[in-house]
Amino acid sequence: MKKVLLEMEDQKNSYEQKAKESLQKVLEEKMSAEQQLQSTQRSLALAEQKCEEWRSQYEALKEDWKTLGTQYRELESQLHVLQSKLQGADSRDLQMNQALRLLENEHQELQAKIECLQGDRDLCSSDTQHLQEAMQPMAPHADDDDCYSTGSVPGQQ
């Protein structure tokens, strides 16, 4: 019976040793799992932080895109206004050029008339001078009741 007790004692010690080893193995696995959990939690926290940064950048870019869209529409509107003004200016420029050409033509016509009238005046002046020269030998002297040189009528004073 002592032998049985000793065998039982050995079995008990063997079971206890195996239980301690199993328990030690379970504890090591638990510690490893806790380390993996902590590592995973740190990775998750970093991923959440990156996600928040990306979300913030996305929102900022979305706001910038909205602002750029508004600015684009405003600039496009200004462009249409300026194009309209440019068309008006081009139209006025065309009208002014036409008016200028008409005035230049009128100026040329008037210049031609002036030259013609000056020619007529010179001719008349020349004719008048020839007539005066031709009439001078026929004109009586001033002391002889000359109605042509004094502008008076003879017999009236």
Side-chain angles (χ1 to χ4, degrees):
M1 179 126 180
K2 231 180 187 191
K3 197 176 181 186
V4 173
L5 279 175
L6 282 176
E7 278 181 24
M8 285 176 72
E9 186 71 31
D10 279 346
Q11 276 185 348
K12 176 186 160 197
N13 286 338
S14 173
Y15 287 137
E16 283 179 358
Q17 184 63 32
K18 285 183 183 178
K20 284 181 186 179
E21 287 173 3
S22 291
L23 188 56
Q24 183 65 30
K25 190 175 180 182
V26 167
L27 286 174
E28 287 173 3
E29 287 175 358
K30 179 184 174 191
M31 286 176 59
S32 176
E34 285 177 352
Q35 287 175 350
Q36 285 180 344
L37 175 62
Q38 289 174 355
S39 176
T40 304
Q41 286 175 336
R42 283 192 299 271
S43 294
L44 177 62
L46 286 173
E48 286 175 343
Q49 181 182 358
K50 283 286 185 189
C51 180
E52 188 56 38
E53 288 173 10
W54 282 98
R55 186 183 333 259
S56 175
Q57 287 180 354
Y58 169 76
E59 291 299 324
L61 287 172
K62 194 165 82 171
E63 190 62 34
D64 288 347
W65 182 255
K66 183 179 175 184
T67 301
L68 285 173
T70 301
Q71 289 174 345
Y72 172 78
R73 285 185 294 281
E74 288 173 359
L75 289 173
E76 192 174 38
S77 174
Q78 290 174 3
L79 175 64
H80 290 304
V81 168
L82 290 174
Q83 285 175 335
S84 176
K85 287 181 180 179
L86 181 60
Q87 286 176 346
D90 285 345
S91 175
R92 285 189 300 278
D93 184 51
L94 182 62
Q95 290 173 350
M96 295 298 277
N97 283 332
Q98 289 173 345
L100 178 62
R101 279 192 295 278
L102 289 173
L103 287 173
E104 286 172 344
N105 288 340
E106 187 177 337
H107 175 72
Q108 288 175 352
E109 290 172 3
L110 290 173
Q111 193 67 32
K113 285 181 182 179
I114 288 171
E115 290 173 6
C116 182
L117 289 172
Q118 284 175 342
D120 288 351
R121 182 195 66 192
D122 290 345
L123 185 61
C124 286
S125 175
S126 174
D127 287 348
T128 304
Q129 189 171 0
H130 288 311
L131 283 174
Q132 286 176 347
E133 287 173 1
M135 289 179 72
Q136 270 184 353
M138 293 195 276
H141 294 333
D143 45 349
D144 293 339
D145 286 330
D146 180 8
C147 68
Y148 297 106
S149 61
T150 62
S152 63
V153 177
Q156 287 184 350
Q157 292 194 348

